[in-house]
Amino acid sequence: MAVVRRARLRNFRGHEHAHVELGDGLTVLHGPNGAGKTNLLEALYFGCTGRSCRTSADRDLVRFDASALRVELDVATADGEHTLAVGYERGGDKRLTADGAPVERLLDVAFRPLVVVFLPDRLELIKGAPALRRAHVDQFVAGLWPARTEPRRAYAQALAQRNALLGRVRAGAVGVDTLDVWDLELGRHALALRDTRQLALDLISEPFAQIAGELGLTGAGELRYRPRSLATTAAAFAAELAERRPSDVERGFTGHGPHRDELQITRDGRELRLYGSQGEQRVALLALLLAERDALAAARDAPPLLLLDDVLSELDADRRALLLRRATHVGQVVLTATEPERVAAGPQATMVDVTADLVAVAREVAA
């Protein structure tokens, strides 16, 4: 199990300097709106993964009047303490290190903590386009079974090849029968990708429904994977593609396969994306992430670091207490709150006053 003991930030978002000590269990970052609590969660995610959970533009993370940022995390494991670091300079490359040695990806570092994050902005996972949910499921699969990520990569590569070939068929450069080989190749990887996604969702379907109900979702919550194809062999999938060749050639891209599958999140059979209130969507997202976190903890024997931003404000006292019990029954949790007394009924916590503690650190560094 990996635990983040402390985080050191320099020029990350609005924080010129920050040094945060985290507890083994629950840490509460509290302070008024605008104090930088969410930025600290983002920095923890950035330090664990090398990327932001809020933006794809690294330049947006650098403090306004600075040219570079750095985030360092001290991580404790059974074999001792380690350090992860991410540095980025405007217009330059990102520098990732593990115990001081350069690495290409933090995801490959053995002592890196897994991480799960809830942000209000992530409601797009419920409300947004199907591609967001597909990508999320694939990320969950990668966390559960790192060795099973090959089908997604192979499928994407075969899909790109078939789409390029469709363009040549459309231009009259080659005959339509040249698609035969790629239809079969795509089918082989499509079935593996589809079935792995379904297996991952089967692990969390019941826990999701239970947690969603406990947190106040009225009616039966359900995760539904909706594949475009129910083919059981690569040849059968290739036959489905062959039937759709005329429309694929006309459009210039492949319109059938797991790249068009959907994960539906429903209540009493109705999609929350279309028919749920924002409160219901928040509860569903929380339930999904908590169910995934428990599945990851069981599969990897290492509970992920759970980052929760502004999750208590819309829950009553009973459900706040239930959420805190659910979140903290295993592993490390960092939670933001404008009113720390809302956590008083929950488990013992490490309290960090963002407006006082971080300012004190900045003064010490400056001195």
Side-chain angles (χ1 to χ4, degrees):
M1 176 176 171
V3 174
V4 179
R5 295 289 189 204
R6 62 195 64 85
R8 293 179 295 277
L9 286 62
R10 188 169 72 243
N11 295 324
F12 187 93
R13 295 283 192 181
H15 297 292
E16 182 178 6
H17 296 285
H19 182 148
V20 183
E21 299 280 342
L22 305 180
D24 290 353
L26 174 65
T27 298
V28 178
L29 306 176
H30 63 91
N33 290 328
K37 303 183 298 297
T38 302
N39 293 343
L40 288 173
L41 288 191
E42 183 183 19
L44 289 169
Y45 189 91
F46 188 72
C48 287
T49 66
R51 56 189 174 85
S52 167
C53 52
R54 299 166 69 191
T55 179
S56 59
D58 290 332
R59 63 181 178 274
D60 294 342
L61 305 177
V62 184
R63 192 168 180 265
F64 180 72
D65 58 352
S67 60
L69 67 80
R70 184 172 177 83
V71 174
E72 296 180 358
L73 304 182
D74 293 335
V75 180
T77 67
D79 66 351
E81 193 161 288
H82 304 273
T83 301
L84 294 171
V86 183
Y88 172 74
E89 186 174 356
R90 290 186 193 273
D93 295 329
K94 194 153 41 181
R95 299 173 303 281
L96 313 175
T97 62
D99 288 338
V103 295
E104 289 190 9
R105 302 195 317 162
L106 292 183
L107 302 183
D108 299 328
V109 176
F111 62 81
R112 180 192 76 91
L114 298 174
V115 59
V116 173
V117 59
F118 172 91
L119 300 170
D121 293 348
R122 294 199 76 195
L123 282 181
E124 279 301 302
L125 185 60
I126 305 292
K127 300 189 294 186
L132 296 173
R133 289 179 288 281
R134 287 193 296 269
H136 181 80
V137 174
D138 290 336
Q139 186 177 5
F140 178 48
V141 167
L144 281 173
W145 307 302
R148 296 192 187 186
T149 58
E150 177 59 19
R152 183 191 184 195
R153 186 203 63 79
Y155 179 82
Q157 186 176 50
L159 181 64
Q161 293 282 1
R162 186 178 191 269
N163 285 343
L165 192 56
L166 284 170
R168 297 186 67 198
V169 172
R170 186 179 185 184
V174 296
V176 72
D177 57 345
T178 58
L179 291 166
D180 290 345
V181 172
W182 284 109
D183 286 359
L184 195 60
E185 179 73 2
L186 198 63
R188 186 164 64 88
H189 301 304
L191 268 58
L193 175 58
R194 179 200 67 192
D195 294 347
T196 302
R197 286 174 175 173
Q198 184 65 69
L199 187 61
L201 290 172
D202 287 345
L203 284 179
I204 60 172
S205 291
E206 289 187 14
F208 165 79
Q210 180 181 348
I211 297 169
E214 290 174 353
L215 294 180
L217 185 67
T218 57
E222 185 179 0
L223 301 177
R224 295 178 175 179
Y225 185 52
R226 291 289 183 257
R228 287 295 182 104
S229 172
L230 298 178
T232 57
T233 67
F237 184 87
E240 293 175 350
L241 288 177
E243 292 176 1
R244 294 165 172 79
R245 280 182 184 176
S247 60
D248 284 355
V249 171
E250 181 180 352
R251 292 177 299 188
F253 62 86
T254 305
H256 181 69
H259 63 290
R260 302 293 298 276
D261 290 353
E262 168 68 296
L263 168 62
Q264 294 179 344
I265 303 174
T266 69
R267 183 204 61 200
D268 289 340
R270 295 166 67 88
E271 284 191 74
L272 286 172
R273 176 176 66 89
L274 300 173
Y275 301 105
S277 67
Q278 181 156 304
E280 290 168 334
Q281 292 167 348
R282 280 173 61 96
V283 165
L285 179 56
L286 266 174
L288 176 65
L289 297 178
L290 289 171
E292 289 176 349
R293 185 213 190 197
D294 288 350
L296 287 166
R300 301 288 295 274
D301 195 27
L305 169 64
L306 181 60
L307 307 176
L308 299 174
D309 186 39
D310 190 29
V311 295
L312 304 180
S313 59
E314 296 186 19
L315 298 175
D316 59 34
D318 289 341
R319 291 198 169 99
R320 285 199 301 269
L322 188 149
L323 171 61
L324 289 170
R325 287 197 300 272
R326 271 281 185 187
T328 58
H329 77 283
V330 61
Q332 188 178 25
V333 182
V334 182
L335 177 151
T336 70
T338 55
E339 301 172 325
E341 60 272 15
R342 289 179 180 269
V343 191
Q348 185 174 358
T350 298
M351 308 298 287
V352 177
D353 185 339
V354 174
T355 56
D357 298 341
L358 267 63
V359 169
V361 168
R363 286 173 178 163
E364 289 175 9
V365 172

